[in-house]
Amino acid sequence: MFSRLLKPRTTYNSNLSEFVRNAKSREKKRVYARVIDKAIEAQNEVIERQKATS
């Protein structure tokens, strides 16, 4: 039982975690801005679809 507690866990890095840790600030800002723009666009589409059905 205690051996499970004492063994170090193997961790895996995702592409996202690698990006967050290693990308330069300029690159992060560019990617985050693009993601936010896409999210806003998707939200606006949902709002417009709801308006069309009401």
Side-chain angles (χ1 to χ4, degrees), residues 6-30:
L6 299 176
K7 279 186 192 175
R9 284 194 214 167
T10 304
T11 58
Y12 299 98
N13 296 331
S14 68
N15 290 338
L16 177 60
S17 66
E18 288 288 330
F19 173 77
V20 170
R21 254 184 282 146
N22 299 326
K24 296 188 182 300
S25 178
R26 173 183 271 172
E27 182 72 9
K28 288 179 190 177
K29 287 177 185 176
R30 186 181 66 80

Side-chain angles (χ1 to χ4, degrees), residues 27-40:
E27 182 72 9
K28 288 179 190 177
K29 287 177 185 176
R30 186 181 66 80
V31 170
Y32 293 159
R34 190 171 175 189
V35 168
I36 290 169
D37 288 343
K38 291 283 186 179
I40 290 170

Side-chain angles (χ1 to χ4, degrees), residues 41-54:
E41 186 178 311
Q43 289 174 350
N44 286 337
E45 288 175 6
V46 169
I47 291 169
E48 290 303 316
R49 279 197 311 263
Q50 181 60 35
K51 285 181 183 177
T53 61
S54 295

